[in-house]
Structure formats: C-alpha cells, structure tokens
Amino acid sequence: AVAGAALLAAAPAGAQDKIQLQLNWFHLADHSPIYLALKKGYYKEEGLELTVLRGSGSADSAKKIDLGQSDIGISDAPTVMTAISKGANLKMVAVVYDKAGNNLFFRKSANIKSPKDLIGKKIAVPPADSHRVLWPAFAALHGIDPNGVTLVNVKPEGKQAIVAANEVDGSFDLYTSYAIWEKVLGKGDVGNLLWADFGLPIYGHTYFVNNDTIKKNPKLIERFLRATH
C-alpha cells in the first residue's frame, strides 16, 4: 500500500474532466458562490475544469440542457417542471433557494401595495424570463386576468433603465438584484413585491441536468454538486 501511494504521489496529475454550467442570466450576485468555489479551487479538487456560460433566461437555459448544449443548468424550479411537462428530458438534482426570489421592483411613487394594484399597469420582463412562466399562476391566485397587465419585452440588462425612464410601472426581477435597483433608482426609492409573501412560496433556483448525463456519468454531477455546495 505504501509503495502504491508513493507511485500515485510521483505520477503527474490526470487530465481534468471538462464541464459546462449554463447560467440562467448574466453574472449576478445569485452566482457568487460558484465563483467563490472556482477561486478556492473546489472544482479542481474534484478533477473538474468548469466553464461558466452566460444565459438568456431560465427557459432558454432549460432548452439548452435539453438539447445537450451544456452539462448542468441553473433555472427556477417551475420553469424546469414546465419544460419536463412538455417532454423535456430533464431532472432537477439540487435546490439553491428554499424561498424563491421572484419579485416585482418599482418606484415607491407607483403606489403598488398588492398584486391587484398591477391591473392596468405596464411591467417589463425579458421574453425568456421565468417570471413569464409563473405569471399566469400568480395572477390566478389573486383573481387577476393575466392579460390585464401589459408585459413589455426588455433585455435583461435593461430592466432598471426602462423603469427609471418611467416607460413602464415596474419590472419583474429576482429580489437578489435589490442592490442594483437601489443604485439606479436611489436609496429609499425602491419598492418591491416578493411573490413568496403573496401566496407563491415555491423553491427558487435549481441545478438540473439532462437525464442522459445521469445515465452516462452520474459521478460527474456528484462531483460538481460537492464542489458547489
């Protein structure tokens, strides 16, 4: 055993397995633990060479993992479940948030106190955003006609600007982006409505994979999750 250990110590380090992580959006505070793990070398300790890819929305992330364009994805749980219900070959393997950050940001002057205050208003939200998937269910909880609120298409990085310019009344965005909104709208001028506090206490971000990856290399997923958590 000692001789074997000596041989292993003398041998060069083996090549690391390459793995791609598909983000739900561009790099945000939500993803900071991943970059901390990279900086600390946790993925290298697991023999992984991790590449982090920018996303264009939770729905887009689910689509890319289903098509095998990346190994592991991040998305809101309902978005993945919706994709699975439509035939996507996906499975969630870990939950990031026990309480989802789905949320509405607005100027306090908009005087929004409850979901019903959204009726007749314009709300910015990117086309592939998970809020679009959840909106009909959230609206139904409060007896709101989903079409009674105008959803305005916007790029992910343009949410704050369109609200600041008063072109819309607010924007759906994860609560973890609060600091960005405060920087744009100003301290004390940011109002928000967290969906979990209004009848939708669901899981937030999840890590998910293609079922084919589970069959071919389950240890790859296990090593990724161990390094990440």
Side-chain angles (χ1 to χ4, degrees):
V2 172
L7 285 171
L8 285 173
Q16 293 188 320
D17 291 327
K18 293 184 178 181
I19 184 171
Q20 291 185 323
L21 171 63
Q22 178 65 56
L23 297 183
N24 51 324
W25 283 124
F26 53 90
H27 314 293
L28 292 167
D30 312 29
H31 312 121
S32 57
I34 298 163
Y35 294 103
L36 178 61
L38 276 168
K39 186 176 181 179
K40 294 284 187 180
Y42 296 158
Y43 295 108
K44 286 186 177 180
E45 289 176 9
E46 293 291 342
L48 300 175
E49 182 182 331
L50 178 67
T51 300
V52 183
L53 305 175
R54 175 193 164 131
S56 299
S58 288
D60 182 66
S61 179
K63 181 179 179 180
K64 287 178 178 175
I65 300 301
D66 184 42
L67 293 174
Q69 296 176 353
S70 193
D71 301 297
I72 296 178
I74 292 181
S75 173
D76 283 353
T79 304
V80 181
M81 289 189 289
T82 299
I84 292 172
S85 74
K86 294 180 180 179
N89 189 32
L90 305 174
K91 179 171 285 186
M92 290 181 281
V93 293
V95 173
V96 182
Y97 298 131
D98 287 337
K99 183 177 182 179
N102 296 93
N103 177 77
L104 169 73
F105 282 115
F106 49 87
R107 288 186 182 278
K108 284 188 175 179
S109 58
N111 198 31
I112 297 173
K113 304 295 183 182
S114 72
K116 287 197 174 184
D117 293 330
L118 299 181
I119 297 173
K121 288 184 167 52
K122 293 182 179 180
I123 304 298
V125 57
D129 194 285
S130 64
H131 288 83
R132 282 188 179 269
V133 177
L134 281 174
W135 169 243
F138 185 65
L141 279 174
H142 298 278
I144 300 172
D145 177 0
N147 297 319
V149 177
T150 302
L151 300 183
V152 179
N153 287 334
V154 65
K155 291 183 178 180
E157 55 269 39
K159 297 175 188 176
Q160 294 80 22
I162 195 171
V163 175
N166 293 316
E167 294 179 27
V168 295
D169 300 288
S171 177
F172 292 143
D173 194 12
L174 295 179
Y175 183 77
T176 45
S177 296
Y178 189 95
I180 300 174
W181 283 90
E182 194 174 54
K183 184 176 181 179
V184 175
L185 299 185
K187 289 187 177 182
D189 197 26
V190 181
N192 81 286
L193 191 154
L194 188 64
W195 292 16
D197 293 338
F198 288 87
L200 204 68
I202 55 176
Y203 285 135
H205 287 168
T206 64
Y207 290 105
F208 65 100
V209 300
N210 192 299
N211 280 306
D212 291 341
T213 304
I214 296 176
K215 294 175 183 176
K216 294 176 183 176
N217 198 347
K219 288 294 181 181
L220 184 74
I221 303 167
E222 181 181 321
R223 288 153 59 199
F224 169 81
L225 291 176
R226 185 162 50 231
T228 303
H229 286 295

